[in-house]
Amino acid sequence: MSIRTNILLRVYLAFGLILLFAVAVVVQMYRLQYVQGNKWKAMASKLSTKYENVEATRGNIYSVDGSLLATSVPEYELHMDMFAGGIAEDKIFYSKVDSLASKLSALYPERSERDYSRMLRDARKDSSRYQLIRRKVTFQELKEIRRFPIFKLGKYKGGLIVLAQNKRILPFRSLAARTIGYKNENVKNAVGLEGAYAGYINGENGKRLMQRIAGGVYVPVNNDEDEVTAKDGADIISTINVNFQDVAQKALKKQLDSIQADFGTVVLMEVATGEIRAIANFTRTKEGDYEERFNYAIGAEAEPGSTFKLATYMTLLDQHKIDTSSKVDIEHGIYNMVNPHNGKVFLHIKDAEDGGSVISAKHAFEESSNVAAVKFVYSHYKDNPREFTDALYRYHLNERNGLQIPGEGQPLIKNPSSKSWNKLQSVAQMAYGYELKLSPLQMLTFYNSVANNGKMISPIFVREIRSMGNTVEHFQAKVINPKVCSDEALAKVKGLLEGVVLEGTGKLVIKNKLYSVAGKTGTAQIANGSSGYGEKNAHQASFCGYFPADHPKYSMIVVISNPKVGSHLAAHVAGPVFRKIADRVYASDLDINHSAPLHLVGNTTMPKVKQGNLAALKQVYSKLGLKPLYAAANTGIDTSSGIPFEENKYKAGTVPTVTGMGLSDALYLLGNAGYKVGVKGSGVVTAQSVTGGSTIPKGSKITIELQ
């Protein structure tokens, strides 16, 4: 073979290989473009864009009087696209960047104008499309920032990228904090109303399209079509009364500070509805202060002690075992129960004081005699203890109340079939509140049934759920037991409870001249595990009752554990807290604090007016010659001189009261105060979602209803 032929063969071979490679490339390109095109397009889109959740605004939690207990306020994170459409040219950007830096420095003076200018210029040089400007920006600050140079060019031209976030705040801070609860993704067990009603409060998250840019950073795509708007959560209307809650917390904490107890709890409930008006729980910290760390009212089941004697005497009276006049020898407050088979003492019972010898059942209850309770129960039920325990089960004391918030303790009421039942002493111990367990709220529920004429209802914490101002669900207390005992027995136990305060252990501390109270003290030793009751000599003091006794409106329980200073007796430990709260509630509730009735006098046809422009209102009244038409009976006040007017003033930083106003005046006041306003209906403002005088962050939304 000649050299020329050899060279040609090599050229043809090389050309053929190149041609073959080119054909393979074309085939593969066709395959990628048309055969597998959809697959790779989807993958590319997935790698360069993604949808990110937009957190919904969580619903508010309100008190029963309309005050905000928990709300979400908007908080923003600001970024900047340094090459947005309006500043793509260097001339435009550099002519305004110093002005922008000056405005940012004036609003956030922790950085100088020079620092801001340098930051923005460096970001421009680095071709940043997502430069961080500021975190934790408020709504009012954002409104101002949108008017800054460059940013005022608009959403797309000015380069301002706003990421909205929600910050949960409690306007009243620690007030009912544990009952309100909190949202924590890392905590499995729901806490308070925030946890129990998360399905309503959380709303539905939206979606926002994010695109990856250089450096692996994702920035939002400014395309409204690619966004799914978040759906705001529903509002919770709780049963808590802010004023009563404040009184309860202060009274409890002051007492805990003075006696250095381990913890304390108080619950105030409305008798007829079962609505919880106040609930406070304080735990002593290592530093000696008190904080809300655990909801003892619903979750701390313990031996209640003498407050349980209400169930004991109710059973004895309802089954006609005794009457209030029945006699019992309390043996000067010391009684030893002896085993008839071996003559050994198996139970030693002692009263707090020497109460004498033979007394009536009424007097024994009033003085909280343990000896009397044991003797009555043991003499009638020792041969058939199930008759006694079955009655307790009929009261449903062995069952949870089924509360609206999680964490309710499991009550323990033994019966002869229980593994820990002691044939000799269990029924005797139960007579005065031992060898059984109840939470404070479960005990209060039982006492409330007496105040409620025998109707036992489950306590509730939430009255209503509202979405967009409309009621989604309304709650009422469920009936646990329509009639706990006969009317005859009910009347007798009411008399016993009133006697405790009038003549018994609560006389010196709780009795007062303004209103009547019915209730029972309870001082229980706290067991120290297997070591028994004597080692620590610690006590739990409680008072449970209702007021006014003649027409009950509220029931309340106070429980304080292990006081270390002063007396450990319930009347001196829990009694003062009960009295202080009851006094304040009675003084502020017009339904039970009977004031002088209002009488109409003179012409009662008034012209309809809207609050607002006071000067105009005065002029109209003056021209019409109208005089006051309403006066309190027997006040002795001459009302013929004219109508008293009150300026519509509000404290800066608080919500103005706009009820009674027209729409324009209401919008003017609320807008000037810095709030967003939602309007429903027309006419006169009849309701506002946030009570006047409340303190909430500016930028929050307030809904007003007009009729």
Side-chain angles (χ1 to χ4, degrees), residues 384-625:
N384 186 16
R386 192 175 290 277
E387 186 181 6
F388 179 71
T389 58
D390 283 352
L392 303 181
Y393 279 47
R394 284 195 297 273
Y395 303 148
H396 299 275
L397 292 176
N398 61 312
E399 301 172 8
R400 288 190 175 106
N401 289 329
L403 302 178
Q404 293 173 313
I405 58 178
E408 183 180 8
Q410 175 62 54
L412 171 64
I413 304 292
K414 292 182 181 180
N415 64 53
S417 300
S418 302
K419 291 182 179 180
S420 58
W421 182 267
N422 186 304
K423 292 181 180 180
L424 289 175
Q425 69 180 45
S426 284
V427 72
Q429 289 270 62
M430 293 174 69
Y432 62 112
Y434 290 88
E435 290 200 28
L436 53 90
K437 290 183 178 181
L438 291 170
S439 72
L441 189 51
Q442 289 160 355
M443 179 57 73
L444 177 61
T445 301
F446 183 60
Y447 271 72
N448 192 78
S449 70
V450 175
N452 202 24
N453 293 319
K455 185 179 180 181
M456 189 174 178
I457 56 178
S458 177
I460 61 173
F461 295 84
V462 175
R463 174 185 284 185
E464 206 174 312
I465 296 174
R466 291 180 188 167
S467 179
M468 305 296 290
N470 299 313
T471 300
V472 175
E473 195 165 353
H474 186 83
F475 299 98
Q476 290 182 325
K478 69 175 183 179
V479 178
I480 299 174
N481 192 336
K483 198 72 173 178
V484 291
C485 65
S486 66
D487 289 335
E488 180 185 0
L490 188 64
K492 290 177 180 178
V493 295
K494 283 183 177 180
L496 294 179
L497 292 171
E498 291 179 43
V500 170
V501 179
L502 292 174
E503 302 294 339
T505 54
K507 179 179 180 180
L508 296 177
V509 181
I510 302 168
K511 181 180 178 182
N512 66 86
K513 297 179 180 179
L514 295 175
Y515 60 95
S516 55
V517 176
K520 181 72 184 73
T521 55
T523 307
Q525 280 190 287
I526 301 173
N528 186 25
S530 60
S531 301
Y533 297 94
E535 184 173 307
K536 285 175 61 178
N537 195 28
H539 295 82
Q540 176 174 286
S542 57
F543 187 89
C544 191
Y546 53 86
F547 63 96
D550 53 345
H551 54 285
K553 177 69 182 292
Y554 297 102
S555 59
M556 179 166 41
I557 188 169
V558 178
V559 178
I560 295 177
S561 179
N562 194 23
K564 300 177 181 65
V565 177
S567 173
H568 65 267
L569 295 178
H572 301 286
V573 175
V577 180
F578 188 102
R579 170 69 185 272
K580 187 173 291 186
I581 298 171
D583 282 353
R584 293 288 298 274
V585 170
Y586 180 80
S588 59
D589 190 327
L590 296 179
D591 290 338
I592 56 176
N593 181 20
H594 301 290
S595 57
L598 294 177
H599 295 277
L600 303 179
V601 296
N603 176 21
T604 58
T605 304
M606 288 285 286
K608 292 184 178 180
V609 297
K610 296 177 182 178
Q611 299 296 324
N613 191 327
L614 186 59
L617 182 61
K618 283 183 177 181
Q619 186 177 5
V620 171
Y621 270 89
S622 176
K623 292 293 184 183
L624 293 175

Side-chain angles (χ1 to χ4, degrees), residues 616-654:
L617 182 61
K618 283 183 177 181
Q619 186 177 5
V620 171
Y621 270 89
S622 176
K623 292 293 184 183
L624 293 175
L626 293 174
K627 296 179 179 180
L629 304 178
Y630 298 90
N634 302 320
T635 60
I637 299 174
D638 180 14
T639 60
S640 62
S641 59
I643 295 175
F645 293 93
E646 184 177 351
E647 294 281 357
N648 193 337
K649 296 180 179 179
Y650 70 95
K651 185 179 179 182
T654 63

Side-chain angles (χ1 to χ4, degrees), residues 93-258:
F93 174 80
Y94 287 110
S95 66
K96 297 181 178 180
V97 66
D98 289 334
S99 299
L100 175 59
S102 176
K103 290 288 187 179
L104 288 172
S105 180
L107 185 59
Y108 303 113
E110 62 267 24
R111 297 180 71 173
S112 67
E113 178 182 341
R114 186 175 182 179
D115 290 337
Y116 277 111
S117 179
R118 185 185 299 114
M119 177 192 74
L120 295 170
R121 290 172 183 271
D122 289 345
R124 177 81 172 190
K125 291 177 182 177
D126 294 339
S127 301
S128 175
R129 306 301 299 266
Y130 198 59
Q131 174 64 36
L132 176 65
I133 301 298
R134 182 82 180 183
R135 290 190 173 95
K136 296 183 179 180
V137 175
T138 67
F139 177 74
Q140 291 298 321
E141 291 170 346
L142 177 61
K143 286 175 62 178
E144 187 174 350
I145 288 171
R146 289 188 189 278
R147 296 193 293 267
F148 284 3
I150 296 180
F151 293 155
K152 66 181 180 181
L153 293 175
K155 181 177 179 181
Y156 301 110
K157 293 183 178 181
L160 182 63
I161 300 171
V162 180
L163 299 182
Q165 300 166 334
N166 290 316
K167 180 183 178 182
R168 199 66 167 171
I169 63 168
L170 305 180
F172 292 97
R173 298 186 179 180
S174 63
L175 209 66
R178 192 72 193 182
T179 303
I180 295 169
Y182 54 84
K183 178 186 178 183
N184 190 334
E185 303 293 349
N186 299 321
V187 177
K188 292 183 179 179
N189 297 325
V191 178
L193 299 178
E194 292 271 20
Y197 290 89
Y200 289 100
I201 296 176
N202 288 347
E204 297 179 10
N205 290 340
K207 289 185 177 181
R208 174 172 50 213
L209 186 63
M210 305 288 286
Q211 185 175 25
R212 191 174 67 173
I213 61 175
V217 177
Y218 280 88
V219 300
V221 176
N222 289 321
N223 188 348
D224 293 336
E225 294 180 359
D226 291 323
E227 289 191 11
V228 177
T229 304
K231 183 179 179 182
D232 293 347
D235 296 331
I236 302 296
I237 312 300
S238 76
T239 62
I240 298 295
N241 181 297
V242 170
N243 295 324
F244 294 169
Q245 180 70 33
D246 184 48
V247 169
Q249 290 192 190
K250 287 180 178 177
L252 178 62
K253 190 173 186 300
K254 184 177 180 180
Q255 180 71 337
L256 292 174
D257 282 331
S258 66

Side-chain angles (χ1 to χ4, degrees), residues 315-454:
T315 303
L316 290 164
L317 292 166
D318 197 37
Q319 296 181 357
H320 304 287
K321 303 294 185 182
I322 65 168
D323 200 352
T324 55
S325 60
S326 299
K327 302 297 182 180
V328 59
D329 185 358
I330 61 172
E331 303 183 23
H332 298 279
I334 298 176
Y335 177 52
N336 293 319
M337 299 188 71
V338 179
N339 188 330
H341 300 294
N342 56 24
K344 292 183 178 180
V345 175
F346 64 84
L347 188 61
H348 176 74
I349 299 115
K350 185 178 180 180
D351 291 340
E353 297 179 357
D354 181 353
S357 55
V358 179
I359 60 175
S360 68
K362 183 177 185 299
H363 186 58
F365 186 87
E366 291 170 352
E367 295 299 332
S368 196
S369 171
N370 296 332
V371 174
V374 170
K375 280 195 168 185
F376 279 136
V377 169
Y378 201 70
S379 63
H380 291 289
Y381 298 108
K382 64 179 179 180
D383 297 326
N384 186 16
R386 192 175 290 277
E387 186 181 6
F388 179 71
T389 58
D390 283 352
L392 303 181
Y393 279 47
R394 284 195 297 273
Y395 303 148
H396 299 275
L397 292 176
N398 61 312
E399 301 172 8
R400 288 190 175 106
N401 289 329
L403 302 178
Q404 293 173 313
I405 58 178
E408 183 180 8
Q410 175 62 54
L412 171 64
I413 304 292
K414 292 182 181 180
N415 64 53
S417 300
S418 302
K419 291 182 179 180
S420 58
W421 182 267
N422 186 304
K423 292 181 180 180
L424 289 175
Q425 69 180 45
S426 284
V427 72
Q429 289 270 62
M430 293 174 69
Y432 62 112
Y434 290 88
E435 290 200 28
L436 53 90
K437 290 183 178 181
L438 291 170
S439 72
L441 189 51
Q442 289 160 355
M443 179 57 73
L444 177 61
T445 301
F446 183 60
Y447 271 72
N448 192 78
S449 70
V450 175
N452 202 24
N453 293 319

